[in-house]
Amino acid sequence: HLVSPDTLGYSAQAFARREHTCSVCSFHTQIDRYVRYYATKHGAIDKLKPRLLVQKLFSQFYGGCDVVAAPNAAVADKLVAKMAIPRAKLCFFPRGVNTTQYTPLRRNATWRRRVARCDDDDAGGGDDELRRPHEERDRRVHAVRHRPPRRPR
């Protein structure tokens, strides 16, 4: 599974080709959009068209993989339109939480006591952690807030 079009990504892709193994990559960050944003702030850099260079790099990398996983249809459409990735190579990895598997209805107090070594009400996390005063946490917060200023070196 390859993620980034960097030295490691290209090396892993070449290794998969040599070993006749399927290379699967996932597209996560639209770096070309970052490049466009920062390049427009500096007019001279924008004239060099770095966004097109990044798109070409991505096209070569993702196009060289056997399967390209995209988080949604909009990103998949961009990979096809802007980077010429064949639609036949695309699949999806939807992001989010499986609310069927991870639901409060499956909460198990016995398991939480055994694993977290505390009562179900004391397991913390989320809002419980913020509402319930904890002596150790309060002591650390107090120590940080009232720390004497550091002396310059």
Side-chain angles (χ1 to χ4, degrees), residues 57-95:
L57 172 76
F58 276 28
S59 178
Q60 290 173 347
F61 178 74
Y62 291 107
C65 289
D66 298 306
V67 177
V68 180
N72 55 50
V75 171
D77 290 344
K78 178 185 176 176
L79 290 170
V80 171
K82 299 274 186 182
M83 298 182 200
I85 306 301
R87 196 167 290 279
K89 288 186 174 191
L90 293 172
C91 68
F92 295 98
F93 67 98
R95 295 179 179 172

Side-chain angles (χ1 to χ4, degrees), residues 1-96:
H1 173 234
L2 315 174
V3 177
S4 299
D6 56 12
T7 305
L8 184 60
Y10 275 106
S11 298
Q13 195 178 64
F15 176 80
R17 253 188 245 111
R18 274 194 315 274
E19 297 297 315
H20 305 287
T21 301
C22 179
S23 60
V24 177
C25 63
S26 52
F27 185 84
H28 294 272
T29 306
Q30 297 183 42
I31 293 174
D32 60 314
R33 293 185 75 178
Y34 288 110
V35 170
R36 182 176 60 204
Y37 173 78
Y38 288 109
T40 55
K41 288 184 164 229
H42 307 285
I45 295 173
D46 194 38
K47 288 183 172 110
L48 298 173
K49 304 289 184 205
R51 181 177 49 89
L52 298 177
L53 179 65
V54 169
Q55 284 180 349
K56 182 174 176 133
L57 172 76
F58 276 28
S59 178
Q60 290 173 347
F61 178 74
Y62 291 107
C65 289
D66 298 306
V67 177
V68 180
N72 55 50
V75 171
D77 290 344
K78 178 185 176 176
L79 290 170
V80 171
K82 299 274 186 182
M83 298 182 200
I85 306 301
R87 196 167 290 279
K89 288 186 174 191
L90 293 172
C91 68
F92 295 98
F93 67 98
R95 295 179 179 172

